[in-house]
């Protein structure tokens, strides 16, 4: 199993995690990842960290496809891959309708078809075999009826096969990742349930397909307090990160076997009863998707991850070097 550090996106204030990234590189972490929602973007911090490191891979988890046309993401990825000596891992994903329609002002319809087309165009850009065209329907190139002509990327990429990862939660989206991408970025992974939930979708993935799962790590002798930290995060994602009619995070929790709880949590949250929503999160769910407690307990629970389809563990919640070292020793032995 490989080990990565997931920094997420900035919250209320700027968050320069250079010291954590340098520590992770010294400790032998394979990769560091950033994210975006509707605050800090996903690429600028990676360029900042890439300029200060030499070995660690640099991943986006995820670049939202509605934030940029596919050629823009392809250009940005090509540039960053050059400047960092071929260290980019490009994670992309559709996000959800609240962000896509509310922040970017783009329609959310047909996310799977849009994602497939998006990745196809990026790879055409990087291959430089001919001027880039696409019949659409989501990203037609050149624009029909306009004055544009097909163009070819000016700069030769360092790599024509920049690895693409797909952020996916539904089985059909995971199946798409196994078909067209080099890896899958699950946000919530319950290691004992991955095979049951996604076994069919992953069955056609190539042997080197990377399942890079994000997991919140809380090192503490107070297991109760640590679980409550996980439950705080779950309360927001299940209750508030999506519309009442369409919340992909609540859907995935339902597929884990907690559908009734997810519906109840969302109803409480949207009614303004957030404390009750927090208390409605099952401890078993919070424990299953995280690694919390003293080192011995975390080491014991890591066995479940090692037996799962996960091939890379992207840890969240640890930043200081002693904690990063402890996690490294627990995960990699």
């Amino acid at each position: 199993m490989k080990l990565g550090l997931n920094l997420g996106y900035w919250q209320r204030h700027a968050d320069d995690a250079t010291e954590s990234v340098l520590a992770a590189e010294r400790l032998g972490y394979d990769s560091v990842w950033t994210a975006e929602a509707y605050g800090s973007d996903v690429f600028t911090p990676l360029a900042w960290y890439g300029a200060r490191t030499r070995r660690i891979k640099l991943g986006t988890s995820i670049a939202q496809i509605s934030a940029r046309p596919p050629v823009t993401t392809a250009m940005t990825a090509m540039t960053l891959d050059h400047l960092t000596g071929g260290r980019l891992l490009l994670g992309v994903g559709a996000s959800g309708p609240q962000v896509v329609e509310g922040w970017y002002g783009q329609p959310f319809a047909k996310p799977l078809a849009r994602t497939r087309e998006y990745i196809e165009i990026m790879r055409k850009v990087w291959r430089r075999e001919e001027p880039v065209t696409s019949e659409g329907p989501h990203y037609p190139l050149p624009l029909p009826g306009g004055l544009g002509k097909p163009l070819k990327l000016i700069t030769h990429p360092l790599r024509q096969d920049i690895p693409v990862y797909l952020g996916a939660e539904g089985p059909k989206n995971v199946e798409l990742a196994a078909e067209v991408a080099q890896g899958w970025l699950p946000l919530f992974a319950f290691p004992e349930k991955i095979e049951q939930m996604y076994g069919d979708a992953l069955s056609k993935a190539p042997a080197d397909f990377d399942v890079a799962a994000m997991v919140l790590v809380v090192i503490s002798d107070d297991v109760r307090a640590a679980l409550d930290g996980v439950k705080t995060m779950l309360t927001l994602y299940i209750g508030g990160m999506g519309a009442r009619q369409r919340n992909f995070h609540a859907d995935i929790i339902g597929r884990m076997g907690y559908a009734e709880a997810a519906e109840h949590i969302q109803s409480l949250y949207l009614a303004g009863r957030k404390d009750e929503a927090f208390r409605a999160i099952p401890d078993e769910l919070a424990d299953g998707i995280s690694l919390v407690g003293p080192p011995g307990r975390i080491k014991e629970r890591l066995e479940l991850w090692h037996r799962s389809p996960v091939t890379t563990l992207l840890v969240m919640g640890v930043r200081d070097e002693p904690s990063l070292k402890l996690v490294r020793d627990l995960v990699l032995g």
Side-chain angles (χ1 to χ4, degrees):
M1 182 178 286
K2 291 179 290 186
L3 184 61
L5 173 63
N6 193 315
L7 299 171
Y9 49 80
W10 295 355
Q11 299 298 320
R12 292 180 180 271
H13 305 288
D15 180 17
D16 182 358
T18 295
E19 292 306 314
S20 297
V21 174
L22 291 174
E25 182 169 66
R26 285 194 297 270
L27 291 168
Y29 278 61
D30 180 70
S31 56
V32 61
W33 301 70
T34 54
E36 64 184 4
Y38 43 96
S40 59
D41 81 285
V42 75
F43 287 109
T44 307
L46 278 190
W48 182 258
Y49 303 138
R52 288 154 174 76
T53 55
R54 292 292 176 266
R55 179 198 59 77
I56 198 166
K57 295 172 187 172
L58 306 160
T60 61
S61 176
I62 57 165
Q64 298 167 319
I65 66 173
S66 294
R68 309 164 187 84
V71 295
T72 305
T73 299
M75 291 165 59
T76 305
M78 178 276 297
T79 306
L80 187 53
D81 199 52
H82 258 298
L83 291 174
T84 61
R87 289 188 279 151
L88 181 64
L89 303 172
L90 180 62
V92 298
S95 188
Q98 276 199 326
V99 172
V100 171
E101 297 176 357
W103 186 246
Y104 297 118
Q106 300 291 323
F108 186 73
K110 300 184 177 179
L112 268 70
R114 286 190 293 114
T115 301
R116 179 187 293 275
E117 193 175 317
Y118 198 98
I119 293 172
E120 287 175 353
I121 291 172
M122 289 197 301
R123 288 190 168 135
K124 284 184 178 182
V125 170
W126 298 328
R127 287 196 297 265
R128 293 189 77 255
E129 293 173 348
E130 58 187 0
V132 177
T133 61
S134 174
E135 295 181 359
H138 305 287
Y139 305 102
L141 289 172
L143 183 69
L147 300 178
K149 67 175 184 178
L151 299 171
K152 185 163 67 173
L153 186 68
I154 295 172
T155 308
H156 289 255
L158 179 66
R159 296 185 294 172
Q160 293 184 336
D161 57 348
I162 295 172
V164 174
Y165 285 61
L166 187 56
E169 292 183 309
K172 289 184 179 179
N173 213 357
V174 175
E175 185 176 355
L176 177 65
E179 178 189 347
V180 305
Q182 280 76 43
W184 168 39
L185 292 161
L187 174 59
F188 297 128
F190 202 124
E192 305 99 299
K193 298 177 184 284
I194 294 174
E195 194 65 44
Q196 166 198 331
M197 294 170 65
Y198 301 111
D200 290 344
L202 293 170
S203 62
K204 296 181 182 178
D208 59 351
F209 187 76
D210 189 17
V211 179
M214 292 165 255
V215 57
L216 181 60
V217 178
V218 182
I219 304 167
S220 173
D221 290 332
D222 190 340
V223 176
R224 176 71 270 158
L227 282 175
D228 284 349
V230 180
K231 291 172 71 170
T232 298
M233 177 267 295
L234 282 171
T235 302
L236 173 62
Y237 274 86
I238 298 172
M241 295 288 277
R244 183 185 296 274
Q245 303 90 333
R246 197 166 193 182
N247 183 327
F248 296 117
H249 305 307
D251 290 345
I252 190 174
I253 299 303
R255 284 192 291 272
M256 288 178 180
Y258 302 96
E260 186 175 330
E263 183 178 353
H264 182 51
I265 292 158
Q266 187 182 41
S267 295
L268 290 169
Y269 190 96
L270 295 177
R273 297 157 63 184
K274 296 180 181 179
D275 289 344
E276 292 177 65
F278 167 84
R279 291 194 295 270
I281 302 280
D283 284 351
E284 178 186 311
L285 168 62
D287 203 21
I289 66 162
S290 65
L291 287 167
V292 304
R297 186 178 192 275
I298 291 176
K299 182 176 182 180
E300 180 180 324
R301 292 199 57 80
L302 270 168
E303 290 303 314
L304 299 171
W305 293 88
H306 283 293
R307 294 199 297 266
S308 78
V310 172
T311 49
T312 297
L313 208 60
L314 304 182
V315 298
M316 304 180 293
V318 286
R319 290 287 189 90
D320 63 282
E321 187 159 2
S323 296
L324 289 168
K325 182 178 185 299
L326 175 59
V327 170
R328 180 204 64 183
D329 294 343
L330 291 172
V331 174
L332 302 181

